[in-house]
Amino acid sequence: MKYSGWPEPGELVVGDVDEIADFGVFVDLDEYEDKRGLCHISEVASGWIKNVRDHVREGQTVVAKVLEVDESSSQIDLSIKDVNEHQRKETIQDWKNSQKADNWMLIALGEDVDDDRYTAVANALLAEYESLYDAFESAAISGDEALDDVDVDDDTADAVVTAARDNVSVPYVDVTGYVDLESAAPDGVDDVRDALAAAEGNGEVPDGVELDVGYVGSPEYRIKVRAPDYKTAESQLESAAERARESIEAAGGVGEFHRERREDDE
């Protein structure tokens, strides 16, 4: 997704060198629609420059600082020399992340999604997250919970989560489920306690997996799993719920696993 407006003075922008002249370099701005900037020869590099081509080449991707913007004359003045190495690397990484997120949006919404729908979903995500990349990364880690406060319909949220978990590489993912545990026996409290211990794995949870069982409101208990990948997390969540169900039923009680809270308010 490209911006239709203009960059702001002081902003760092990414662009491709498309023309080199004796007096400077013309740069197509990758993040803005139909915007082109000029980096005067004095702003290409520090010190005296004999030949601009000794410092940049056509087709090269550069990071530049916006010096001035004159919308009336469609002129954007840039400086390449005012960008240090740290800023260059950070800006390039953000730009690459933005490109990835744009691709994930098309996967989630469809290659033929119209601009209005794309913009509406993007704005909804950006209302809660600093960038689309952050939104997809959070969706890959936490699933539907990451989009609870995002103003999109359920189908769109599911599509974003699916695209995120299929395409985003993250250090871990979180999944959550719930299990109802009930026992009418005189020592039913102990039966439930044993079922919860079983859900926690009795100390046998695989390395790299964090599993936590917490009370929500009788008879409902929350199971949270953090794992290196979505498949492992889902498998461990289902296994934990199954252990709890088998334990309570063996004691004559009833157990049931479900993915969503029974009540809206915790």
Side-chain angles (χ1 to χ4, degrees):
M1 180 177 68
K2 291 190 176 185
Y3 301 114
S4 58
W6 294 81
E8 297 288 336
E11 181 179 342
L12 299 182
V13 294
V14 178
D16 297 321
V17 175
D18 75 333
E19 184 180 347
I20 298 176
D22 291 339
F23 56 84
V25 176
F26 289 96
V27 179
D28 278 335
L29 304 187
D30 290 339
E31 299 159 293
Y32 290 86
E33 291 181 352
D34 304 320
K35 297 299 186 295
R36 191 185 196 215
L38 171 63
C39 181
H40 188 268
I41 186 172
S42 63
E43 295 294 336
V44 172
S46 300
W48 182 71
I49 298 177
K50 180 179 181 180
N51 188 338
V52 181
R53 294 180 184 275
D54 291 338
H55 300 274
V56 293
R57 65 183 186 279
E58 291 180 352
Q60 179 181 351
T61 298
V62 297
V63 176
K65 181 179 181 179
V66 178
L67 299 178
E68 293 185 25
V69 176
D70 187 342
E71 296 182 25
S72 62
S73 61
S74 298
Q75 183 172 331
I76 303 172
D77 294 331
L78 305 172
S79 174
I80 295 174
K81 74 175 185 180
D82 282 355
V83 180
N84 62 42
E85 185 62 15
H86 172 74
Q87 291 173 321
R88 189 191 71 79
K89 288 183 177 180
E90 188 174 67
T91 303
I92 286 291
Q93 187 60 57
D94 288 343
W95 172 66
K96 289 180 178 179
N97 288 347
S98 178
Q99 289 185 310
K100 290 178 181 179
D102 184 51
N103 183 53
W104 298 334
M105 284 284 285
L106 296 179
I107 292 173
L109 304 179
E111 293 285 345
D112 58 349
V113 62
D114 62 67
D115 290 343
D116 289 343
R117 173 162 165 70
Y118 183 108
T119 301
V121 174
N123 286 341
L125 293 170
L126 292 173
E128 299 296 331
Y129 290 95
E130 187 171 334
S131 69
L132 293 180
Y133 185 90
D134 291 338
F136 274 88
E137 186 175 58
S138 293
I141 292 172
S142 301
D144 293 336
E145 290 184 0
L147 304 184
D148 281 348
D149 296 326
V150 176
D151 186 19
V152 294
D153 59 68
D154 290 344
D155 288 342
T156 299
D158 289 343
V160 168
V161 170
T162 298
R165 285 189 157 159
D166 286 346
N167 296 278
V168 182
S169 297
V170 294
Y172 62 86
V173 297
D174 289 332
V175 296
T176 301
Y178 301 86
V179 62
D180 293 347
L181 302 171
E182 297 181 87
S183 175
D187 53 354
V189 173
D190 292 334
D191 295 339
V192 171
R193 187 180 294 113
D194 290 342
L196 294 176
E200 291 174 342
N202 293 314
E204 298 180 3
V205 176
D207 291 340
V209 174
E210 297 178 20
L211 193 154
D212 178 71
V213 181
Y215 176 75
V216 175
S218 183
E220 191 174 30
Y221 298 84
R222 180 193 293 110
I223 304 174
K224 286 186 175 181
V225 178
R226 172 169 290 186
D229 58 81
Y230 181 65
K231 183 178 180 180
T232 299
E234 284 290 330
S235 174
Q236 290 299 314
L237 174 61
E238 293 173 3
S239 295
E242 182 64 13
R243 290 193 298 268
R245 187 188 64 79
E246 289 179 349
S247 176
I248 198 72
E249 291 183 356
V254 177
E256 180 185 0
F257 173 61
H258 49 98
R259 293 306 302 261
E260 304 295 333
R261 279 283 328 263
R262 295 298 193 195
E263 301 292 336
D264 291 335
D265 299 324
E266 297 191 9

